[in-house]
């Protein structure tokens, strides 16, 4: 009798729950980023107010217009959605990583702190998060080709976040993004589109890897993924 069966079944249930939350929050974050793009286009269409951009320099700011105020609100909601998404995605990655280790009988190649540190460590954040996902795939589906959604996810994420426009979201204020929308809106929208695409690819990736993991534990535990049709009785 395989003594790992109860452990694998428990891990499969946990991964399935984590996957559902990760997919939902990825969709929400993608929608929030798309809303930012819509508001940026609205700002560009309205044009720079007669009073000029919000940031006057030297720490001075003029009162915001109603449209600029609404962009601040949309941006804040987007930031909250991204934080929630990051927490859900990392929880899924940790659990499917543990499950992959249990299935393969080998410890993960990278220690668990890298699941978090890999996103913020310079240079390493250019390849390590993808490497963690690739290692999971190799453990749960040995010999199978890496799903294309993994490369789409990582390529779009890097393109959107490491472009000059993408970096502006991390290093600049919301007012500086508003000013950029008045002058270079299509660069902003292009970066937004890549981030939205990365969120969609990530949702597909989460489902693909979770399904592959569940197929390895079918004899032990066959959870019904939330997107599967209900069982007809």
């Amino acid at each position: 009798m395989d003594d790992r069966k109860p452990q694998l079944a428990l891990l499969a249930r946990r991964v399935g729950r984590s996957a559902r939350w990760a997919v939902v929050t990825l969709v929400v974050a993608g929608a929030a980023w798309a809303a930012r793009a819509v508001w940026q286009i609205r700002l560009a269409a309205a044009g720079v107010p007669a009073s000029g951009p919000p940031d006057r320099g030297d720490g001075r700011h003029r009162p915001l217009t109603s449209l600029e105020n609404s962009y601040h609100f949309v941006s804040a909601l987007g930031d909250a959605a991204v934080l929630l998404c990051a927490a859900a995605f990392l929880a899924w990655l940790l659990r499917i990583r543990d499950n992959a280790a249990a299935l393969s009988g080998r410890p993960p190649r990278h220690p668990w702190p890298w699941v978090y540190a890999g996103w913020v460590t310079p240079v390493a954040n250019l390849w390590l998060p993808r490497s963690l996902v690739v290692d999971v795939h190799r453990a749960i589906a040995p010999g199978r080709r890496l799903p294309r959604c993994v490369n789409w996810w990582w390529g779009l994420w890097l393109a959107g976040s490491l472009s000059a426009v993408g970096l502006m979201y991390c290093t600049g204020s919301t007012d500086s993004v508003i000013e950029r929308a008045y002058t270079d809106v299509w660069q902003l929208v292009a970066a937004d589109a890549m981030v939205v695409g990365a969120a969609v690819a990530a949702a597909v990736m989460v489902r693909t890897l979770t399904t592959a993991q569940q197929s390895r534990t079918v004899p032990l535990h066959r959870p019904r993924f939330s997107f599967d049709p209900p069982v007809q009785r």
Side-chain angles (χ1 to χ4, degrees):
M1 179 178 179
D2 189 349
D3 294 335
R4 297 184 304 154
K5 286 184 178 181
Q7 178 191 13
L8 291 173
L10 176 61
L11 287 171
R13 288 193 296 270
R14 288 178 175 175
V15 171
R17 288 194 296 267
S18 295
R20 287 190 286 272
W21 279 110
V23 169
V24 169
T25 56
L26 281 163
V27 171
V28 171
W33 219 267
R36 281 183 171 181
V38 171
W39 254 255
Q40 289 159 6
I41 293 172
R42 291 183 63 193
L43 287 166
V48 184
S51 53
D55 189 349
R56 300 300 182 83
D58 300 322
R60 295 180 296 111
H61 291 75
R62 65 162 171 76
L64 299 176
T65 66
S66 60
L67 183 57
E68 291 168 345
N69 265 321
S70 66
Y71 180 77
H72 272 265
F73 178 72
V74 169
S75 181
L77 287 180
D79 290 340
V82 169
L83 288 175
L84 182 63
C85 174
F89 182 83
L90 291 176
W92 167 80
L93 183 56
L94 274 172
R95 285 181 174 170
I96 199 168
R97 181 174 171 273
D98 289 343
N99 197 46
L103 284 168
S104 66
R106 297 188 302 272
R109 188 156 56 103
H110 304 287
W112 71 264
W114 283 111
V115 175
Y116 301 101
W119 295 88
V120 296
T121 304
V123 181
N125 59 4
L126 298 177
W127 61 271
L128 190 52
R130 178 185 178 277
S131 179
L132 292 167
V133 172
V134 170
D135 288 346
V136 166
H137 174 263
R138 288 174 177 168
I140 62 179
R144 294 186 184 178
R145 178 178 295 182
L146 183 70
R148 292 180 180 177
C149 54
V150 175
N151 289 329
W152 276 105
W153 157 66
W154 191 241
L156 287 168
W157 171 255
L158 285 181
S161 61
L162 297 183
S163 66
V165 178
L167 288 174
M168 181 179 242
Y169 283 119
C170 301
T171 60
S173 66
T174 304
D175 284 345
S176 66
V177 177
I178 291 174
E179 183 176 352
R180 190 68 179 270
Y182 286 134
T183 58
D184 299 306
V185 67
W186 295 114
Q187 293 184 23
L188 285 172
V189 171
D192 291 334
M194 287 184 282
V195 174
V196 172
V200 172
V204 175
M205 177 186 70
V206 168
R207 182 176 181 182
T208 299
L209 294 185
T210 302
T211 301
Q213 166 260 305
Q214 290 175 343
S215 69
R216 291 285 305 276
T217 56
V218 163
L220 311 176
H221 172 73
R222 189 164 191 166
R224 183 169 58 85
F225 200 74
S226 62
F227 294 95
D228 292 340
V231 177
Q232 299 295 328
R233 296 185 180 276

